[in-house]
Amino acid sequence: MQLHKLGEFGLIERIRKKFKKARSSKRILVGIGDDTAIISPHIDKLVLLTIDTMVEGLHFDLSYMTFADIGWKLMASNLSDIAAMGGIPVCALISLAVPSSYEVKWIDELYKGIEKISRRFNVSLVGGDTVSSSLLVVSLSLYGEIDRKKFSLRSGAKVGDLIFVTGNLGGSEAGRLVLKHNLPLGGEVLAEVKSKHLHPIPRIDKAKMLLKNVRIHSMIDISDGLASEINHIAEESKVGALIYEDKIPISKSTQKVAEKLGDKAINYALYGGEDYELLFTLSQGEQKKVKNLTNRIPIGEIIERKKGVLLIDRNGYKHRLKAKGYEHFKNTISAIKRTRTAMS
Ligand code: ADP
Ligand code: MG
C-alpha cells in the first residue's frame, strides 16, 4: 500500500500505536497524539537540545541502506551529540517529509530502526510532524539531560593536554565504500565495517563513565572525520593541536578495505566521518586513569594556537591538518552554479 492511500492521519495513528508500548519513562506524561508532548523535567539537571536531518541522496543511499538502517543512523547521530556533552537522552521528536508514492511498509521499517536504537538507549519518541514532499527528508530532535556540574564542551582544551579517541576510526568510511562498490571481502571484515557504517553505537555510556572518573577538559563527537573535529576543538578552545599519524587507531578490517581499493586508511580516519567515536582532551596527570579505564593511549597533544593544527606523519614530517570533511553548501556549490546557469 502506498502512503497516499493511508493519508497523514492514518500514518500518524499507525506510528502512535507502535510507540504506545515503547513508552519507557514515567516522566513522559503525554506522548504522540495531543498538540504537544508533556515531559516532567529533572529538577537537578540541565537540558540538552539537538537536531539532525537526513536527506535522501545526500545522507543515505537507498541502493545499499534499508529504511531501518536510516532510522538507526539518524537516531545514532543525534545520540552521539548528546554523548559528546556527557549527557543522557530522554525523548525525541521526528519530522518526516515523505513522497506520497512511498510504500507504507518502508515507513514502518524506518520506524522499526528508530525503535530498536531507542529501546537500547532508553529514548521515548513523543511526537513529530508529517508532510508530503518530493524526496525523503527526516529530522530527528532529541531532548537530553546532563549533570549541572559535569559536562564537556569543545572550548575547554588547554595547552599541554593530551588528545584521546574512544575507538577505531575510518571504519564507517570503509563500510560505505564496501557497500557502495559491493566489494567481495571476507565475512569478518565485511561484517565489521558494514556494521560500523550502518549501525554505529553512540558512546553515551563511555562518555558518562569518563566524566565520572577523569577531569575532561574538552570533548566532541567524530561525525565529520578526525581532521574536522580536532580543528573544531582548536578553534573553540583557541589552541593548536599536534596529531601523530601512527597513533590513530585503525582496525585491521579498515586497513584491508583501503588496501583493496588502493587507498590510505589514514585518509578514511581523517576525512571519512560518521565514526561517532568521541575525541577528548585532558591534562597529562589524568593519562594513567584513561589508560586503566579504556586501554587507550594519546593520539596527540594540544599546543599553542599560533603553531596551528598539525599532523606528524610516520617519517616525522609535519603537515598542516585542514578540516576537509564534508561541508554542506561548500560541497554542493558547483552543482548549484551549474543548475542556475542552465536556468538563466
Ligand atoms: P498538529 O497539526 O496539531 O501539529 P499533527 O496532526 O501534526 O498535529 O500531529 C498529531 C500528533 O502526532 C502529535 O502528537 C504529533 O507530535 C504526532 N506526530 C505527527 N507526525 C509524527 C511523526 N512523523 N512521528 C511521530 N509523531 C508524529
Ligand atoms: Mg503538526
Side-chain angles (χ1 to χ4, degrees), residues 19-139:
F19 280 85
K20 223 173 202 163
K21 282 177 276 164
R23 231 168 69 192
S24 52
S25 167
K26 280 197 194 113
R27 298 176 45 202
I28 314 298
L29 306 183
V30 175
I32 297 173
D34 216 306
D35 291 314
T36 79
I38 305 182
I39 317 294
S40 169
H42 204 303
I43 215 83
D44 301 330
K45 307 263 167 140
L46 296 175
V47 170
L48 299 174
L49 291 170
T50 177
I51 183 162
D52 266 307
T53 301
M54 281 175 93
V55 177
E56 184 176 338
L58 201 59
H59 296 96
F60 52 88
D61 187 333
L62 290 167
S63 65
Y64 60 78
M65 279 180 97
T66 67
F67 286 95
D69 296 334
I70 295 164
W72 176 288
K73 220 169 154 176
L74 179 61
M75 179 66 91
S77 71
N78 264 284
L79 287 169
S80 181
D81 287 321
I82 298 267
M85 308 299 287
I88 296 292
V90 177
C91 59
L93 296 167
I94 288 178
S95 155
L96 189 65
V98 55
S100 55
S101 59
Y102 261 49
E103 291 291 328
V104 173
K105 63 174 182 229
W106 297 346
I107 302 303
D108 283 349
E109 228 197 285
L110 177 82
Y111 274 83
K112 231 181 237 163
I114 291 168
E115 200 208 321
K116 203 165 169 197
I117 184 167
S118 300
R119 214 176 320 121
R120 176 161 177 166
F121 289 95
N122 217 6
V123 183
S124 310
L125 180 68
V126 295
D129 196 31
T130 308
V131 294
S132 62
S133 100
S134 53
L135 75 177
L136 181 66
V137 181
V138 205
S139 290

Side-chain angles (χ1 to χ4, degrees), residues 1 30 98 113 131 145 154 166 171 190 263 299:
M1 183 177 39
V30 175
V98 55
V131 294
E145 289 170 343
R154 296 177 176 188
T166 49
L190 189 68
D263 292 335
I299 64 158

Side-chain angles (χ1 to χ4, degrees), residues 114-187:
I114 291 168
E115 200 208 321
K116 203 165 169 197
I117 184 167
S118 300
R119 214 176 320 121
R120 176 161 177 166
F121 289 95
N122 217 6
V123 183
S124 310
L125 180 68
V126 295
D129 196 31
T130 308
V131 294
S132 62
S133 100
S134 53
L135 75 177
L136 181 66
V137 181
V138 205
S139 290
L140 193 147
S141 144
L142 267 183
Y143 166 104
E145 289 170 343
I146 36 164
D147 201 290
R148 281 181 177 271
K149 292 199 186 80
K150 273 193 186 140
F151 51 86
S152 42
L153 304 177
R154 296 177 176 188
S155 55
K158 294 179 177 57
V159 174
D161 273 8
L162 296 174
I163 304 167
F164 288 85
V165 289
T166 49
N168 290 332
L169 302 181
S172 178
E173 179 64 1
R176 190 184 69 82
L177 291 167
V178 164
L179 289 159
K180 193 171 156 214
H181 301 300
N182 205 3
L183 290 186
L185 279 163

Side-chain angles (χ1 to χ4, degrees), residues 242-246 311-319:
L242 194 59
I243 303 283
Y244 304 107
E245 177 180 341
D246 62 345
L311 178 81
I312 298 195
D313 70 20
R314 286 167 208 277
N315 302 316
Y317 292 111
K318 282 183 188 166
H319 308 261

